[in-house]
Amino acid sequence: LTWLIYWNEEHNKVINIERVDPAWVRATQKVNGKVNTYVINPNFTSTNGRNKSKEVPAFDVFNKTEKVQLYTYQIFSPGLEYYCQPSYANAANWLYLDGQISFYHKSNIENSINPSVAVKIYEKPANQEEQQEFISNLKRSFAGAKNTGKVMVFFSNGKDLAPDIQSIEANTLDKAFSITQEMIIKNIAFSHTIDPIIMGIASPGALGQSQQLATAYSIFNNTFIQPNQNKLNAVLSSFYSVNNLNASVKLKKFNLV
């Protein structure tokens, strides 16, 4: 969580809270184990000077010299001092692979040549026109869905001159990709601690889907939604105490099923 906190003129009450995209925020070097200043920039990669970085002091109820401060809340990540890892970090490779598979299929359709049958004629045609006519007749008679199941017949002046018809093995990578795609979906869902069934992805052949959905949502609610709501409630309620208000925030529970 990263929020801009606005104080009133007297610096004794919080008058506004504005969410900031965490990707826009960078921490400066710690002083005595604490970050005192953050840098905000919507585009840190920009070099044209349009998006200038802005320094904002860290939120501190005991040091309110600035009207605007930045409050940050992040979970503990072992080995990381300034930034925490997102919960889906362990699925980064699967996220990348998902994009690569879709790009592979796109490139395969656009660039590949995949004939299914090779017809070898052991006699040269008399001329180019005869060759093109034979190919056109072959396509017209046997290619396409409407010609599926037709019998292919060729006549020749002897066995040695008969055309050689050879089937070309189809690409079997689609089966491997199908299995990989299932693994991608599951691993991305699990990295977000969510059962795929909640995302509308049902297991083939599974019975009692409605009961499974209710159970999956109950687990997701108890292990992810409620704990995170409690943390957010505590953070928001702390701003009431800053304003000397004996109130608390309670996020409404969302019932999926």
Side-chain angles (χ1 to χ4, degrees):
L1 299 174
T2 50
W3 290 331
L4 284 173
I5 309 300
Y6 294 85
W7 296 93
N8 61 358
E9 293 292 340
E10 293 76 20
H11 294 82
N12 58 5
K13 286 187 178 181
V14 174
I15 58 175
N16 189 31
I17 299 175
E18 178 184 345
R19 182 185 179 276
V20 179
D21 191 330
W24 295 5
V25 178
R26 298 290 186 274
T28 61
Q29 189 171 5
K30 288 183 176 181
V31 178
N32 297 325
K34 180 181 178 182
V35 176
N36 295 318
T37 306
Y38 292 91
V39 178
I40 300 177
N41 192 330
N43 187 5
F44 281 98
T45 62
S46 174
T47 58
N48 57 15
R50 294 180 185 176
N51 298 308
K52 295 183 178 180
S53 299
K54 178 182 178 182
E55 290 190 357
V56 180
F59 178 77
D60 189 348
V61 294
F62 301 106
N63 183 15
K64 297 176 286 188
T65 55
E66 298 291 338
K67 288 181 58 177
V68 181
Q69 297 177 335
L70 185 76
Y71 176 89
T72 63
Y73 175 83
Q74 58 182 3
I75 60 175
F76 171 71
S77 292
L80 300 176
E81 186 175 3
Y82 285 93
Y83 307 104
C84 66
Q85 281 189 332
S87 59
Y88 56 83
N90 60 334
N93 288 334
W94 293 104
L95 295 169
Y96 174 80
L97 185 59
D98 187 33
Q100 289 300 300
I101 286 180
S102 63
F103 182 74
Y104 170 85
H105 286 304
K106 176 178 177 293
S107 298
N108 193 36
I109 292 174
E110 292 176 347
N111 304 318
S112 65
I113 300 173
N114 296 301
S116 57
V117 175
V119 179
K120 301 177 183 179
I121 307 297
Y122 297 98
E123 183 181 8
K124 289 185 177 181
N127 50 53
Q128 186 72 18
E129 288 75 15
E130 182 180 338
Q131 176 180 320
Q132 290 300 324
E133 182 180 1
F134 176 81
I135 294 174
S136 297
N137 289 335
L138 189 64
K139 289 182 178 179
R140 184 170 56 253
S141 299
F142 301 105
K146 66 179 181 179
N147 293 317
T148 300
K150 279 189 175 182
V151 178
M152 186 178 291
V153 179
F154 292 98
F155 298 93
S156 65
N157 295 323
K159 185 176 181 180
D160 293 337
L161 298 177
D164 183 7
I165 302 175
Q166 180 180 357
S167 297
I168 299 177
E169 185 178 356
N171 192 333
T172 58
L173 285 177
D174 57 332
K175 297 179 181 179
F177 282 143
S178 177
I179 297 174
T180 303
Q181 191 66 37
E182 293 180 8
M183 295 176 64
I184 287 173
I185 294 173
K186 290 181 179 179
N187 281 282
I188 292 177
F190 293 156
S191 70
H192 289 82
T193 65
I194 184 171
D195 193 310
I197 194 173
I198 300 178
M199 304 168 65
I201 304 172
S203 301
L207 300 176
Q209 295 286 342
S210 59
Q211 182 61 39
Q212 288 185 10
L213 176 60
T215 302
Y217 173 72
S218 178
I219 295 174
F220 180 61
N221 181 64
N222 293 330
T223 60
F224 183 84
I225 296 179
Q226 287 298 324
N228 284 282
Q229 280 189 345
N230 293 336
K231 294 175 183 177
L232 187 57
N233 287 337
V235 172
L236 294 175
S237 296
S238 67
F239 293 114
Y240 280 93
S241 62
V242 169
N243 288 358
N244 295 319
L245 296 175
N246 294 322
S248 62
V249 177
K250 185 67 175 178
L251 297 178
K252 185 178 180 181
K253 181 180 178 182
F254 174 71
N255 292 318
L256 178 68
V257 290

